[in-house]
């Protein structure tokens, strides 16, 4: 069983920093980059909380091994590449530790289903936490083999597994309503379009308000800062550019602001920017991003609790728990 001292050595930080990060102090303990290194080291080494402390906290008297929960990355190959899933994965990890369960390496569904099944068999999971959108067939297949729960902004098809959601469609509608309330009617969309609820929320709001859907104002791009930078520059080069851009996530928005600044354009003086997620950098840039807050910590905690309840036989019906999002007004609109 790995110790915090071993984690500190592998991550290149102090033991006290490891203790604070694993204890859930978040940004008060370390930068996002340092925290990510600590969580990666803890997963790789299979860190498990002190079993005696767990038993005392939970009132247990037996020596039954705690459940083994594995996090599946359905949309990204690693959490480092996506700040939203990084925060969501850390919320899951923190609750896994709080419940006294071991941290196990995460598995990416992008690496192929058969390969994943073999790796999962080796990890011997008691249950799975699926982060992000995956196909209904993949979720069903996984759910038939292990207790599972999906967490994200889009429902996992018609999969017969529990789900904890914050609707991407409702987040998009909230963002669009705010832009419309500020007098914007020529609003562009920047992000993924295929099977993306945030894109659906964009055009559905235009339709409901009796505004035209203009294909020239939709720039489809991977939801990364690089995609946002390229897309924003292209949109503002139109003969009649938009007065506002709805970005599918904060990473896209951060790239869009960077691209506009390189072209000598100001936010929000020349174009307003709004996005979804409310990751930590959204409040640290200039201008600070107006965005839709997704309750990542609550989503992660509740997913672990519901999964453990299913493993313990606490419920048998398939549950879908929907959490609300909220508007965070800052400087970019």
């Amino acid at each position: 069983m790995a110790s915090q001292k071993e984690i500190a050595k592998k991550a290149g930080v102090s033991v006290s920093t490891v203790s604070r990060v694993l204890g859930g102090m978040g940004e008060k303990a370390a930068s996002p980059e340092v925290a990510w290194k600590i969580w990666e080291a803890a997963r790789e080494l299979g860190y498990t909380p002190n079993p005696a402390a767990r038993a005392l906290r939970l009132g247990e008297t037996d020596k039954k091994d705690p459940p083994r929960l594995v996090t599946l990355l359905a949309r990204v190959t690693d959490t480092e590449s996506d700040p939203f899933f990084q925060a969501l994965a850390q919320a899951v990890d923190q609750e896994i530790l709080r419940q006294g369960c071991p941290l196990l390496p995460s598995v990416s569904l992008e690496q192929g289903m058969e390969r994943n099944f073999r790796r999962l068999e080796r990890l011997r999971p008691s249950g799975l936490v699926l982060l992000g959108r995956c196909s209904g067939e993949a979720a069903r297949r996984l759910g038939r083999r292990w207790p599972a729960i999906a967490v994200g902004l889009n429902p996992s098809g018609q999969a017969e597994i529990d789900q904890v959601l914050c609707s991407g469609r409702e987040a998009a509608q909230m963002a669009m309503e705010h832009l419309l309330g500020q007098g914007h009617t020529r609003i562009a969309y920047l992000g993924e379009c295929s099977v993306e609820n945030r894109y659906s929320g964009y055009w559905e709001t235009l339709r409901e308000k009796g505004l035209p859907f203009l294909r020239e104002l939709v720039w489809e791009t991977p939801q990364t800062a690089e995609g946002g930078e390229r897309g924003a520059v292209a949109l503002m080069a139109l003969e009649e550019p938009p007065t506002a851009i709805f970005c599918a996530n904060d990473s896209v928005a951060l790239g869009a602001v960077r691209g506009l600044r390189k072209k000598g354009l100001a936010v929000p003086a020349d174009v307003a920017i709004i996005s979804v997620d409310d990751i930590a950098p959204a409040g640290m840039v200039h201008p600070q991003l107006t965005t839709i807050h997704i309750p990542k910590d609550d989503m992660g905690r509740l997913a672990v609790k519901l999964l453990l309840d299913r493993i313990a036989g606490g419920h048998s019906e398939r549950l879908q728990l929907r959490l609300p999002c909220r508007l965070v007004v800052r400087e970019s609109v």
Side-chain angles (χ1 to χ4, degrees):
M1 180 173 65
S3 66
Q4 291 191 2
K5 184 176 181 180
E6 291 173 298
I7 295 171
K9 182 178 180 180
K10 188 171 185 63
V13 299
S14 68
V15 176
S16 61
T17 299
V18 171
S19 179
R20 290 195 297 270
V21 169
L22 298 185
M25 293 184 66
E27 295 171 25
K28 297 178 182 178
S31 68
E33 294 76 17
V34 170
W36 177 82
K37 287 183 180 180
I38 292 171
W39 284 112
E40 282 293 289
R43 293 189 201 100
E44 185 175 335
L45 294 172
Y47 176 70
T48 304
N50 185 295
R54 174 183 186 272
L56 181 64
R57 182 175 66 254
L58 301 180
E60 297 176 347
T61 56
D62 59 42
K63 296 183 179 180
K64 182 179 179 181
D65 289 336
R68 296 169 58 84
L69 307 184
V70 172
T71 299
L72 290 181
L73 307 176
R75 188 162 181 168
V76 293
T77 55
D78 62 83
T79 57
E80 184 185 19
S81 63
D82 190 303
F84 173 79
F85 283 106
Q86 184 179 107
L88 187 56
Q90 288 181 10
V92 169
D93 288 343
Q94 286 168 358
E95 187 59 28
I96 286 174
L97 289 184
R98 200 187 76 80
Q99 296 293 333
C101 302
L103 276 183
L104 301 175
S106 57
V107 175
S108 171
L109 288 180
E110 295 292 318
Q111 297 174 350
M113 186 61 72
E114 297 306 322
R115 179 180 176 184
N116 288 328
F117 263 82
R118 292 193 296 271
R119 188 177 183 195
L120 286 170
E121 292 287 359
R122 291 194 296 270
L123 290 172
R124 299 179 291 107
S126 308
L128 308 176
V129 182
L130 282 67
L131 298 190
R133 180 182 67 233
C134 68
S135 71
E137 175 54 34
R140 281 190 293 273
R141 185 175 176 188
L142 292 165
R144 285 194 295 265
R145 177 63 181 83
W146 295 280
I149 189 165
V151 193
L153 302 186
N154 292 356
S156 294
Q158 300 300 315
E160 290 296 313
I161 62 174
D162 294 336
Q163 299 185 55
V164 175
L165 304 172
C166 184
S167 172
R169 178 180 275 103
E170 291 179 10
Q173 291 170 336
M174 187 176 291
M176 291 293 290
E177 291 278 0
H178 183 66
L179 291 177
L180 292 168
Q182 297 297 309
H184 297 283
T185 56
R186 190 169 173 80
I187 304 170
Y189 173 83
L190 189 51
E192 294 178 1
C193 297
S194 178
V195 199
E196 176 53 73
N197 280 357
R198 281 163 278 193
Y199 176 58
S200 300
Y202 163 78
W203 63 259
E204 286 174 359
T205 303
L206 291 175
R207 182 186 61 189
E208 290 167 3
K209 300 298 180 181
L211 295 171
F213 171 80
L214 303 174
R215 193 65 184 83
E216 66 180 18
L217 294 181
V218 174
W219 188 272
E220 186 168 10
T221 180
Q223 290 175 184
T224 63
E226 292 73 20
E229 181 174 347
R230 291 191 299 269
V233 171
L235 286 168
M236 297 308 292
L238 292 172
E239 184 175 342
E240 187 181 352
T243 64
I245 303 174
F246 167 50
C247 298
N249 68 17
D250 290 343
S251 293
V252 172
L254 292 169
V257 171
R258 183 175 65 205
L260 295 171
R261 185 179 292 123
K262 289 180 178 178
K263 291 297 182 179
L265 298 172
V267 176
D270 295 312
V271 59
I273 299 285
I274 195 168
S275 52
V276 176
D277 284 348
D278 196 21
I279 59 176
M284 301 176 184
V285 295
H286 178 73
Q288 295 179 344
L289 291 180
T290 293
T291 185
I292 306 299
H293 175 78
I294 304 299
K296 300 171 285 295
D297 289 348
D298 286 344
M299 291 170 70
R301 284 193 293 264
L302 289 168
V304 173
K305 289 179 178 179
L306 282 176
L307 180 57
L308 290 174
D309 189 68
R310 176 168 290 282
I311 292 170
H315 69 278
S316 58
E317 295 295 328
R318 301 299 172 184
L319 302 181
Q320 188 177 95
L321 181 60
R322 289 181 174 265
L323 276 64
C325 54
R326 59 180 169 84
L327 174 68
V328 179
V329 178
R330 295 195 179 103
E331 300 170 342
S332 63
V333 175

